[in-house]
Amino acid sequence: MGSIVAAAATSHVVMDPTDVRTQAGQVIDGFKQIAAEVARTQPDLLLYITSDHMVNLGYRLQPSFALGCADSYTPLGDMQIPRQPMAGAGAFADALLRHMDQAGFDLARAESLDPDHGIALPLRIINPGGRIPVAPLLVNINRTPPPSPARCYALGQAVGAYIRSAACTQRVAVIGAGGLSHWIATPGMGRVNADFDQRVLSLLSRGQAADIATWSSDYILENAGNGGLEIMCWLAMAGTVAGATGHTLYYEPIASWFTGMGAMAMDLAAA
């Protein structure tokens, strides 16, 4: 039987720190704290749940979810991220995809992916050198309509059930990435809704992700922007360890980065 040994979520962008060095330092420290927990728990692989920035999932085909099933990935190289290959968890992803099909989730199978900054940037610190194999699970928040919060939470629950089943033997660290509130290339760009972000962090910390799952996508879009829909990835992560409480690693509303930046670690020892 497999197990989830660590679960966390983080914003996934870092921009010019010149005028926000203290805040930027908190962001990097949050990545490092997740990295330390991953190193401490020694997972066999990382299940990394995030969005795609119209690199792999474009307008022509818009699946709700896609799972990378390759044995290695080379980053796209956006945001000056080195194109250093990282190991993929192809066998795990293949088995997970088959299980999810039986569980009622039609995940698109990606035989190859070009990870953009949403994956590659945090993993430079969390998984240095790309040594721990990664299974990227993409939540298509750019789809019209996006998958609902309830569907994303249920997805996470189904993933967690598989990992803890007799069919899985791996120790897995689950990371959700994206958000928090931000409006990108839309009216209000640069706005950060700190009240909304703190509400999300508070609910997750109290083990009440199921409450977030009752929200509509339109509610999140109105209160957190189109980029704020990336909290679906946090919600899917929380679903894998449903009911677990957590603690905020940091929260920094950084207007010059257009984003409410935050990170959360789940307290699995108490779950």
Side-chain angles (χ1 to χ4, degrees):
M1 186 169 73
S3 60
I4 296 175
V5 297
T10 182
S11 300
H12 62 200
V13 69
V14 173
M15 300 176 74
D16 185 356
T18 302
D19 296 325
V20 290
R21 293 197 181 278
T22 299
Q23 291 176 296
Q26 292 296 317
V27 174
I28 298 301
D29 186 61
F31 289 163
K32 290 180 178 178
Q33 290 182 70
I34 296 173
E37 182 65 6
V38 168
R40 183 188 70 80
T41 55
Q42 298 184 317
D44 298 315
L45 63 98
L46 302 176
L47 177 63
Y48 192 93
I49 308 171
T50 193
S51 63
D52 180 70
H53 300 88
M54 308 303 289
V55 172
N56 299 281
L57 306 179
Y59 287 109
R60 187 173 182 182
L61 293 174
Q62 299 184 21
S64 293
F65 309 107
L67 182 63
C69 293
D71 290 323
S72 66
Y73 301 96
T74 299
L76 177 70
D78 60 323
M79 301 188 74
Q80 300 181 326
I81 297 169
R83 303 193 73 234
Q84 179 181 15
M86 64 181 77
F92 166 84
D94 177 78
L96 174 59
L97 187 144
R98 294 172 185 274
H99 168 84
M100 295 299 286
D101 185 70
Q102 295 300 311
F105 289 88
D106 301 319
L107 275 61
R109 181 187 186 94
E111 294 290 354
S112 64
L113 287 174
D114 298 315
D116 64 24
H117 67 272
I119 297 174
L121 195 156
L123 288 184
R124 290 193 66 195
I125 296 174
I126 295 169
N127 186 26
R131 294 185 293 271
I132 304 172
V134 176
L137 174 53
L138 302 182
V139 178
N140 191 1
I141 58 107
N142 295 308
R143 182 179 180 270
T144 304
S148 70
R151 188 64 170 165
C152 293
Y153 186 62
L155 173 84
Q157 290 177 301
V159 169
Y162 168 74
I163 293 172
R164 288 184 290 270
S165 74
C168 179
T169 59
Q170 291 98 338
R171 294 166 53 84
V172 182
V174 182
I175 299 171
L180 293 163
S181 65
H182 59 296
W183 283 253
I184 297 298
T186 64
M189 184 167 176
R191 176 187 171 199
V192 172
N193 188 344
D195 289 341
F196 175 90
D197 294 343
Q198 292 286 10
R199 185 181 176 198
V200 169
L201 292 169
S202 178
L203 287 168
L204 288 172
S205 70
R206 299 199 303 267
Q208 296 175 339
D211 288 0
I212 302 174
T214 67
W215 298 351
S216 69
S217 299
D218 286 343
Y219 174 81
I220 297 172
L221 184 63
E222 178 182 355
N223 288 275
N226 54 341
L229 290 169
E230 290 174 340
I231 69 165
M232 305 291 198
C233 307
W234 292 50
L235 195 54
M237 177 281 298
T240 68
V241 291
T245 58
H247 59 279
T248 298
L249 299 178
Y250 75 88
Y251 177 70
E252 297 289 345
I254 307 181
S256 64
W257 292 6
F258 316 110
T259 306
M261 302 289 298
M264 164 79 55
M266 309 310 291
D267 300 321
L268 301 189

